[in-house]
Structures are given as C-alpha cells and as structure tokens.
Amino acid sequence: MESQFAKIGMETIPARQSIQQPNADLHIEQPLADMKMRTIPGRLTIDQSLAWEDMDIKSIFQRVRENAVRGRQKLLEGIARVAREGDEMLDIHSGRDVLVEQAKRKANPPPVDTNITWVPSTFSVKIHFEPGKTDIQFQTRKPVIDARIRKPIISYVPGDVNIYLRQQNSLKIDFVK
C-alpha cells in the first residue's frame, strides 16, 4: 500500500504602497511694527553769578544797587560821626582837649582788616541737573501667513494570495494473490 498526502501550495504577491507628499505653498509676510519715541533731553543749569561776584565782575544793575546801599550806609555813618563830634564839642568845658582827640582819630585811622580768601569762594558755582526722559511706545503687528497644503499622493496595489493543490493525495493498493 502506498499513500501520498495532499500538499497545498501557496503563492503570495506582496502589496505595494507608495506615498508622495508635495511641499506646501507657504507665504509669510511680517508687517513692520509701529514705534513712536519721544525724548525730553536732560537739562544742565550752571549758575556762576556768585563766582563772578567773588571776582568783582558784576552787572551794571548790581553795581548800582550795591553803590546805593554803600552810599546810604556811609551817609548814615557820616551823619552819626558829625553828630558825635558835635556832642563832644559841647563837652569842651569839661577840660578835655576835644579838638586834639578828634584830630588824632582822623590822622590815625584804624588799620584796614585784610584777609586772604579763595577767589572764587568754595561752592560759588551752583550746578543743577535734570535727567532726560525717553518715552517709547510701540504696537506690534501679527505676521500674515498664507499656507496652502497639498494632499499626499497615495498609490496602493493590494497584494494577493493564490492557494493551489500542489500535490494530489493518492492511495495505491496492490493485492498479492
């Protein structure tokens, strides 16, 4: 007895797929931002009038004012001196030599007070500084984006499977007599 089993054959064809993605069309535009800037400059003030006065460099108006004050003061001092000397002469009967005393005072005045000073004096120049200011205002603008997408190109070929009988089954029986 001979037997042969059936055999199945299988043939496969693989599936094929391809995908292509075209580039998107993209256009981007960035509008300029709007910016406004305002600046207030710093201010430096230097007052050196006191230093000029210390160096005896004065305006005509100031000289006239000072001379008027000094003239009035000297006038009052002169009136007081004449009144005092007149009062001293009224006391001439006291036995003092009033005319000699007055002559000595006028002939030998007190020494003039002198002193060394710094010209111009310390801190006679006044400096004042106001810092500047800057005001910045800006307005941003969003970008303009234009994007066109493209769909992918897909190609698909399905696979296949073929099943067939590769070998038939058989049974052979021989009888011997």
Side-chain angles (χ1 to χ4, degrees):
M1 186 157 107
E2 282 182 29
S3 67
Q4 187 175 358
F5 292 106
K7 290 186 180 176
I8 297 176
M10 196 180 330
E11 184 180 312
T12 59
I13 300 170
R16 284 179 290 153
Q17 180 178 14
S18 71
I19 300 174
Q20 294 177 351
Q21 178 64 59
N23 290 336
D25 287 334
L26 185 63
H27 177 72
I28 300 175
E29 184 178 328
Q30 176 66 60
L32 295 175
D34 198 16
M35 184 169 88
K36 293 178 184 176
M37 187 165 48
R38 197 178 96 202
T39 302
I40 299 171
R43 183 178 175 142
L44 176 64
T45 306
I46 300 174
D47 181 8
Q48 55 188 8
S49 57
L50 187 58
W52 289 114
E53 288 176 20
D54 286 350
M55 295 184 293
D56 200 30
I57 301 173
K58 301 173 186 176
S59 71
I60 189 69
F61 302 109
Q62 188 171 356
R63 286 212 184 266
V64 168
R65 274 193 304 271
E66 288 177 358
N67 286 336
V69 168
R70 192 175 325 122
R72 184 173 189 277
Q73 181 68 31
K74 292 293 183 183
L75 173 68
L76 294 175
E77 288 174 9
I79 292 172
R81 181 181 47 80
V82 168
R84 187 178 61 246
E85 287 175 354
D87 289 342
E88 288 176 356
M89 291 214 183
L90 288 176
D91 276 347
I92 205 162
H93 64 285
S94 65
R96 283 182 21 210
D97 198 1
V98 176
L99 292 177
V100 174
E101 290 175 11
Q102 288 179 358
K104 282 183 183 179
R105 273 197 309 253
K106 288 182 181 177
N108 299 318
V112 178
D113 187 24
T114 59
N115 197 359
I116 296 175
T117 61
W118 296 101
V119 176
S121 62
T122 309
F123 303 115
S124 62
V125 177
K126 306 294 183 203
I127 297 174
H128 177 69
F129 177 70
E130 294 175 21
K133 297 176 185 173
T134 302
D135 181 27
I136 300 173
Q137 296 176 352
F138 60 91
Q139 184 173 4
T140 59
R141 297 209 171 123
K142 293 183 178 181
V144 178
I145 301 173
D146 181 23
R148 291 188 196 136
I149 58 171
R150 293 188 178 168
K151 293 184 177 181
I153 301 169
I154 301 172
S155 169
Y156 177 71
V157 177
D160 197 11
V161 177
N162 292 328
I163 299 175
Y164 60 93
L165 188 59
R166 194 168 67 178
Q167 181 178 332
Q168 286 236 354
N169 60 345
S170 66
L171 182 59
K172 202 181 205 193
I173 302 175
D174 281 336
F175 292 102
V176 180
K177 292 193 190 172

